[in-house]
Amino acid sequence: MGGPLLSHARNVLQLNEVEAGSKIPVQLTGVITACDASWNGGFFLQDDTAGLFVDSKQIKSLSVGDLVEVHGVAEPGAFAPIVAHPMCKIVGKSELPNPKKVSIDQLVTGAEDGQRVEVAGWIHAVTQNNVNIVVDLVEGSERVYLHLPPNTRMDLTSLVGSKIVAVGVVSAQSLNFNVRRMVAVQLWLHSGEDLRVLEAASPDPMTAKPTEIDFLSHYRIDNVPGRRFHIKGVVTYRNRKLLYVSDKTGGIEVRATQVPVVAEGDEVNATGFVILERGIPVLIDSILKGTGKKGKIEPKLLDSIQPLQDGMLHSSLVRLSGRLVNYLERSDVKNIQESQVTLALQSAGAIVTAQLENLKVGGDLSSFELGSKIEVTGICSVSTDNNGVFQSFKILVPTIHDIRLIEHPSPFTKQRLLGALFFLLIFILAIAVWNIRLAKRNARLAGDVREHDAILAERARLAGDLHDTLEQSLTGVSLQLKTVERLVGSAPERALTHLQTASEGIRQTHSELRRSIWNLTPEALEQFDLTEAIRRTVRGIAEASGLRFSYKSTGAAHHLDTVIEQNLLRIAQEAATNTTKHAEASRVEVSLDFSSERLVLKIQDDGVGISSSPEGRRPGGGFGLSGMKERASRIGGVFSIKKRSPKGTVVRVEVRQAPHSAT
């Protein structure tokens, strides 16, 4: 336990929520002002400073008037601080403290919680719960619930409409526990002697002629806050929350203490108290009785909102027609099988909302299309500001049968045109997507055709080369060898001459074969794109010769024409091969630079550099520099080879993006 000992009730009540939860010790001496069997031993105690609740669980019976000594600890309580875990000792009897005179308005603030008070008001209702008799005491728009013991020997029902003074102990009847806020307040009376009549109730209004509803809030010289009124009318609207009754003069919302089984169209008698809520009369705390008869109220035609602005027709049964411009369906939170539908109508010179509750989810509203002209019948519910000035209104529609279709919508409504436009846009979009896919497919097919044509052309070229060169050369070599075979025995010198001629033919055949193979598609390009094919090919050549290798590619790489890629790869291959054979270099570097207009390929080394008179084709070798130049020319490229500073050679090929390849 923490904190100093608290010896006065007021000291406990002054604790904030955190302090009250720190188990501060309490020692109080005071009189019990209220206790009830339903509190399981708890009681209200008041000393000469204040009153509070003691959460006792002692079996020993305690009663009002006992003077007790309490030892316990402070706790926050549900609303105000309390004393918990007490040890109680009766030390005698005591007079109850004088009550503090307060108003009901002051009680509902919660400041008097736990105190013995005196309050005045008008009795509006008397009910019996499982434990006590409960009296509704009203003053203005506020009320307090008086609890009296069930053995109270008074005819409390005869006091309905009386003005009384009651003395009791204040506590919260209901709370919002999340924010520790009092919602309703109650007063605990010890006996019927704690209740005293100031003004007797007026005679039972049921014995008098019913008051016409339209005159309930009119001036009467004998009007008092506790006066009850009797009306007779027909139920025009009924749901779980609201009940409206109308007669020939108008309608009113009726709030009954207990509602009998009545429905729209039933005739009823009702007695209750009239209050004004923001300038609008309401019959509250009513006793409702059905007559067993049916009645009919003719709805008033609402063709302008001016009568509503003038304060007329609230709670009355009205009928209006208009164009349906929108509607919203919302499921009931407590009953998911039912929904609330709000219709928006262009009517009476404004947009009017009509609200239909208790409609089965998925109810038949299909006949009420947007744009339809419909007629609705229901209760006109007006909203006003604090000064009673008209703000807005809505129509409470009892059932779907109170909505009538007058005219179907035009086939060219805004909604239908928008719907048609939407489907047209979807159709156009589908066609566009289909055209894009078709264009891509055609592009792929065109590429396949070009590739197929290129393959056929390559095969035709290779076949022609082999026929015109290799076949002819091999035929000549074959003839020379036959001559050697014939002369080797008789004329060896002549046979040697023919053998040398055959050898030269073989060398020429080898050269022609290399020339034909030169233009075949490299295997690397069949597996990889151009950048990867060049990187792998040159790296393989460099690593085989023990050279260091570096590679760089800048810009967005993209696919080029097949012939261009083949020749660029062969140029890179030939340049790297020349480096390993002639440059005496330690490293070879490759770079590819892609841009929107051109592609630049560079192969450079750190070797001895190219001589001032670059070689052409080397006998018995590759095509050399002239071969690289020829390949660059075939793809419309610009070829250059320069000496690098301080040492080395740079081979550079620049190709435009859309060159005309040689055929």
Side-chain angles (χ1 to χ4, degrees), residues 108-171:
V108 297
T109 66
E112 307 300 333
D113 186 75
Q115 314 304 311
R116 191 164 187 261
V117 299
E118 178 181 295
V119 65
W122 301 87
I123 295 180
H124 274 207
V126 177
T127 56
Q128 175 83 48
N129 61 22
N130 295 331
V131 180
N132 297 316
I133 300 171
V134 180
V135 176
D136 291 21
L137 192 66
V138 177
E139 181 185 45
S141 60
E142 303 292 351
R143 72 176 57 208
V144 62
Y145 299 92
L146 310 181
H147 289 260
L148 288 93
N151 59 356
T152 301
R153 298 179 179 276
M154 293 181 65
D155 183 11
L156 295 173
T157 57
S158 65
L159 297 181
V160 174
S162 301
K163 184 175 183 179
I164 67 163
V165 170
V167 176
V169 179
V170 184
S171 73

Side-chain angles (χ1 to χ4, degrees), residues 565-588:
E565 292 187 348
Q566 292 174 2
N567 284 280
L568 287 175
L569 177 60
R570 292 305 187 195
I571 291 172
Q573 184 179 18
E574 181 65 26
T577 301
N578 286 345
T579 297
T580 61
K581 289 182 177 180
H582 310 297
E584 301 179 11
S586 63
R587 65 180 295 119
V588 59

Side-chain angles (χ1 to χ4, degrees), residues 473-512:
S473 298
L474 290 177
T475 300
V477 170
S478 178
L479 292 175
Q480 294 294 334
L481 290 177
K482 286 183 179 181
T483 302
V484 170
E485 183 182 5
R486 189 174 66 251
L487 296 177
V488 70
S490 59
E493 294 182 357
R494 291 178 59 191
L496 180 60
T497 300
H498 286 284
L499 185 60
Q500 291 174 344
T501 302
S503 177
E504 179 64 24
I506 290 173
R507 283 195 296 272
Q508 292 178 359
T509 300
H510 181 242
S511 178
E512 293 296 335

Side-chain angles (χ1 to χ4, degrees), residues 233-250:
V234 176
V235 176
T236 47
Y237 186 84
R238 166 80 191 278
N239 65 15
R240 290 190 298 270
K241 300 177 181 178
L242 297 174
L243 175 69
Y244 285 87
V245 174
S246 297
D247 62 14
K248 62 181 180 179
T249 66

Side-chain angles (χ1 to χ4, degrees), residues 415-623:
Q415 288 74 18
R416 290 182 178 179
L417 291 176
L418 288 175
L421 179 60
F422 173 76
F423 285 111
L424 179 61
L425 290 175
I426 294 296
F427 179 69
I428 293 173
L429 180 61
I431 292 178
V433 171
W434 183 79
N435 284 335
I436 291 172
R437 296 183 62 183
L438 183 61
K440 290 182 178 179
R441 181 181 178 187
N442 289 339
R444 288 196 300 269
L445 290 175
D448 293 343
V449 170
R450 286 195 301 271
E451 184 177 351
H452 183 262
D453 291 344
I455 293 173
L456 293 179
E458 185 72 5
R459 288 179 177 176
R461 181 195 65 77
L462 182 59
D465 287 350
L466 293 177
H467 180 271
D468 294 340
T469 58
L470 185 60
E471 183 178 351
Q472 300 300 326
S473 298
L474 290 177
T475 300
V477 170
S478 178
L479 292 175
Q480 294 294 334
L481 290 177
K482 286 183 179 181
T483 302
V484 170
E485 183 182 5
R486 189 174 66 251
L487 296 177
V488 70
S490 59
E493 294 182 357
R494 291 178 59 191
L496 180 60
T497 300
H498 286 284
L499 185 60
Q500 291 174 344
T501 302
S503 177
E504 179 64 24
I506 290 173
R507 283 195 296 272
Q508 292 178 359
T509 300
H510 181 242
S511 178
E512 293 296 335
L513 180 59
R514 283 170 59 87
R515 185 186 299 277
S516 297
I517 294 174
W518 193 44
N519 287 319
L520 291 178
T521 301
E523 181 181 359
L525 284 176
E526 295 179 350
Q527 300 180 16
F528 311 103
D529 60 14
L530 175 62
T531 57
E532 184 65 13
I534 290 178
R535 188 182 72 82
R536 286 175 175 264
T537 299
V538 177
R539 185 183 66 182
I541 295 172
E543 290 177 350
S545 303
L547 301 181
R548 296 193 304 275
F549 169 73
S550 66
Y551 174 81
K552 181 174 70 173
S553 176
T554 58
H558 48 270
H559 180 69
L560 300 173
D561 187 83
T562 304
V563 175
I564 295 176
E565 292 187 348
Q566 292 174 2
N567 284 280
L568 287 175
L569 177 60
R570 292 305 187 195
I571 291 172
Q573 184 179 18
E574 181 65 26
T577 301
N578 286 345
T579 297
T580 61
K581 289 182 177 180
H582 310 297
E584 301 179 11
S586 63
R587 65 180 295 119
V588 59
E589 303 171 6
V590 177
S591 67
L592 275 168
D593 181 18
F594 289 88
S595 69
S596 60
E597 298 179 352
R598 63 178 185 171
L599 167 65
V600 177
L601 168 66
K602 286 184 182 179
I603 305 95
Q604 50 193 8
D605 59 55
D606 60 352
V608 297
I610 193 169
S611 64
S612 58
S613 301
E615 62 173 342
R617 297 184 181 180
R618 299 186 306 278
F623 291 98

